Coordinates of all heavy atoms in Angstrom, one line a residue:
L244 N 0.8 -1.2 0.0 CA 0.0 0.0 0.0 C 0.9 1.3 0.0 O 1.9 1.3 0.6 CB -0.9 0.0 1.2 CG -2.2 -0.9 1.0 CD1 -2.8 -1.3 2.3 CD2 -3.2 -0.2 0.1
K245 N 0.3 2.3 -0.7 CA 1.0 3.5 -0.8 C 0.1 4.7 -0.3 O -1.1 4.5 -0.2 CB 1.3 3.8 -2.3 CG 2.1 2.7 -3.0 CD 2.2 3.0 -4.5 CE 2.9 1.9 -5.3 NZ 3.0 2.2 -6.7
P246 N 0.7 5.8 0.1 CA -0.1 6.9 0.6 C -1.2 7.3 -0.4 O -2.3 7.7 0.0 CB 0.9 8.0 0.8 CG 2.2 7.3 1.1 CD 2.2 6.0 0.3
E247 N -0.9 7.2 -1.7 CA -1.9 7.6 -2.7 C -3.0 6.6 -2.8 O -4.0 6.9 -3.5 CB -1.2 7.8 -4.1 CG -0.4 6.6 -4.5 CD 1.1 6.8 -4.2 OE1 1.4 7.3 -3.1 OE2 1.9 6.5 -5.1
D248 N -3.0 5.5 -2.1 CA -4.1 4.6 -2.0 C -5.1 5.0 -1.0 O -6.2 4.4 -0.8 CB -3.7 3.2 -1.6 CG -2.8 2.5 -2.7 OD1 -3.2 2.7 -3.9 OD2 -1.8 1.9 -2.4
T249 N -4.8 6.1 -0.2 CA -5.7 6.6 0.8 C -7.0 7.1 0.2 O -7.0 7.9 -0.8 CB -5.0 7.7 1.6 OG1 -3.9 7.2 2.3 CG2 -6.0 8.4 2.6
A250 N -8.1 6.6 0.6 CA -9.4 6.9 0.0 C -10.5 6.2 0.8 O -10.3 5.4 1.7 CB -9.5 6.5 -1.4
V251 N -11.8 6.6 0.5 CA -12.9 5.8 1.0 C -13.2 4.8 -0.1 O -13.3 5.1 -1.3 CB -14.1 6.7 1.2 CG1 -15.3 5.8 1.6 CG2 -13.9 7.7 2.3
Y252 N -13.2 3.6 0.3 CA -13.4 2.5 -0.7 C -14.9 2.0 -0.6 O -15.5 1.8 0.5 CB -12.5 1.3 -0.4 CG -11.1 1.6 -0.8 CD1 -10.3 2.5 -0.1 CD2 -10.5 0.9 -1.9 CE1 -9.0 2.8 -0.6 CE2 -9.2 1.1 -2.3 CZ -8.5 2.1 -1.6 OH -7.2 2.3 -2.0
Y253 N -15.5 1.9 -1.8 CA -16.9 1.5 -1.9 C -17.1 0.2 -2.7 O -16.4 0.0 -3.7 CB -17.7 2.6 -2.7 CG -17.7 4.0 -2.0 CD1 -16.8 4.9 -2.2 CD2 -18.7 4.3 -1.1 CE1 -16.8 6.2 -1.6 CE2 -18.8 5.5 -0.4 CZ -17.8 6.4 -0.7 OH -17.9 7.7 -0.1
C254 N -18.0 -0.6 -2.2 CA -18.4 -1.8 -2.9 C -19.6 -1.5 -3.8 O -20.5 -0.7 -3.4 CB -18.7 -2.9 -1.9 SG -19.1 -4.5 -2.6
Y255 N -19.6 -2.0 -5.0 CA -20.6 -1.7 -5.9 C -21.1 -3.0 -6.6 O -20.3 -3.9 -7.0 CB -20.1 -0.7 -7.0 CG -21.0 -0.6 -8.2 CD1 -22.1 0.2 -8.2 CD2 -20.8 -1.4 -9.3 CE1 -23.0 0.3 -9.3 CE2 -21.7 -1.4 -10.4 CZ -22.8 -0.5 -10.4 OH -23.6 -0.4 -11.4
T256 N -22.4 -3.0 -6.9 CA -23.0 -4.0 -7.8 C -24.2 -3.3 -8.5 O -24.7 -2.3 -8.0 CB -23.4 -5.3 -7.1 OG1 -23.8 -6.3 -8.1 CG2 -24.5 -5.1 -6.1
G257 N -24.6 -3.9 -9.6 CA -25.7 -3.3 -10.3 C -26.3 -4.2 -11.3 O -25.7 -5.1 -11.8
T258 N -27.6 -3.9 -11.6 CA -28.3 -4.6 -12.7 C -28.4 -3.6 -13.9 O -27.8 -2.5 -13.9 CB -29.7 -5.0 -12.2 OG1 -30.5 -3.8 -12.1 CG2 -29.6 -5.7 -10.9
S259 N -29.1 -4.0 -14.9 CA -29.3 -3.1 -16.0 C -30.1 -1.9 -15.7 O -30.1 -0.9 -16.5 CB -30.0 -3.9 -17.1 OG -31.3 -4.4 -16.7
T260 N -30.8 -1.9 -14.6 CA -31.6 -0.7 -14.2 C -31.3 -0.1 -12.9 O -31.7 1.0 -12.6 CB -33.1 -1.2 -14.2 OG1 -33.3 -2.2 -13.2 CG2 -33.6 -1.6 -15.5
D261 N -30.5 -0.8 -12.0 CA -30.3 -0.2 -10.7 C -28.8 -0.4 -10.3 O -28.2 -1.3 -10.7 CB -31.2 -1.0 -9.7 CG -32.6 -0.8 -9.9 OD1 -33.1 0.4 -9.8 OD2 -33.3 -1.7 -10.3
D262 N -28.4 0.6 -9.5 CA -27.0 0.6 -9.0 C -27.1 0.5 -7.4 O -28.0 1.1 -6.8 CB -26.3 1.9 -9.3 CG -26.0 2.1 -10.7 OD1 -25.8 1.1 -11.4 OD2 -26.1 3.2 -11.2
Y263 N -26.2 -0.3 -6.9 CA -26.2 -0.5 -5.4 C -24.8 -0.3 -4.9 O -23.8 -0.9 -5.4 CB -26.6 -1.9 -5.1 CG -28.0 -2.3 -5.6 CD1 -28.2 -3.0 -6.8 CD2 -29.2 -1.8 -4.9 CE1 -29.4 -3.3 -7.2 CE2 -30.4 -2.1 -5.4 CZ -30.6 -2.9 -6.6 OH -31.8 -3.2 -7.0
W264 N -24.7 0.7 -3.9 CA -23.4 1.0 -3.3 C -23.5 0.7 -1.8 O -24.5 0.9 -1.2 CB -23.2 2.5 -3.5 CG -23.0 2.9 -4.9 CD1 -24.0 3.4 -5.8 CD2 -21.8 3.0 -5.6 NE1 -23.4 3.7 -7.0 CE2 -22.0 3.5 -6.9 CE3 -20.4 2.7 -5.3 CZ2 -21.0 3.6 -7.9 CZ3 -19.5 2.9 -6.3 CH2 -19.8 3.3 -7.5
G265 N -22.3 0.4 -1.3 CA -22.2 0.3 0.1 C -21.9 1.7 0.7 O -21.8 2.7 0.0
Q266 N -21.8 1.7 2.0 CA -21.7 3.0 2.7 C -20.2 3.5 2.6 O -20.0 4.7 2.9 CB -22.1 2.9 4.2 CG -21.1 2.2 5.1 CD -21.0 0.7 4.9 OE1 -21.7 0.1 4.2 NE2 -20.1 0.1 5.7
G267 N -19.3 2.7 2.3 CA -17.9 3.1 2.2 C -17.1 2.7 3.4 O -17.7 2.7 4.5
T268 N -15.8 2.5 3.2 CA -14.9 2.2 4.4 C -13.6 3.0 4.1 O -13.1 2.9 3.0 CB -14.7 0.7 4.6 OG1 -13.9 0.5 5.7 CG2 -14.0 0.0 3.4
Q269 N -13.1 3.6 5.1 CA -12.0 4.5 5.0 C -10.7 3.6 5.1 O -10.5 2.8 6.0 CB -11.9 5.5 6.1 CG -10.7 6.4 6.1 CD -10.7 7.4 4.9 OE1 -11.7 8.0 4.6 NE2 -9.5 7.5 4.2

């Protein structure tokens, strides 16, 4: 890991009509 990897990381999945995101983890 590098300092530039610092971010909020989000999990995502989706269908053809809907997107689903997690709340994020720092």
Side-chain angles (χ1 to χ4, degrees):
L244 282 161
K245 305 175 181 180
E247 51 264 42
D248 294 317
T249 295
V251 178
Y252 284 70
Y253 296 91
C254 184
Y255 166 85
T256 188
T258 69
S259 58
T260 57
D261 298 293
D262 295 324
Y263 302 99
W264 294 92
Q266 79 285 357
T268 185
Q269 177 71 46

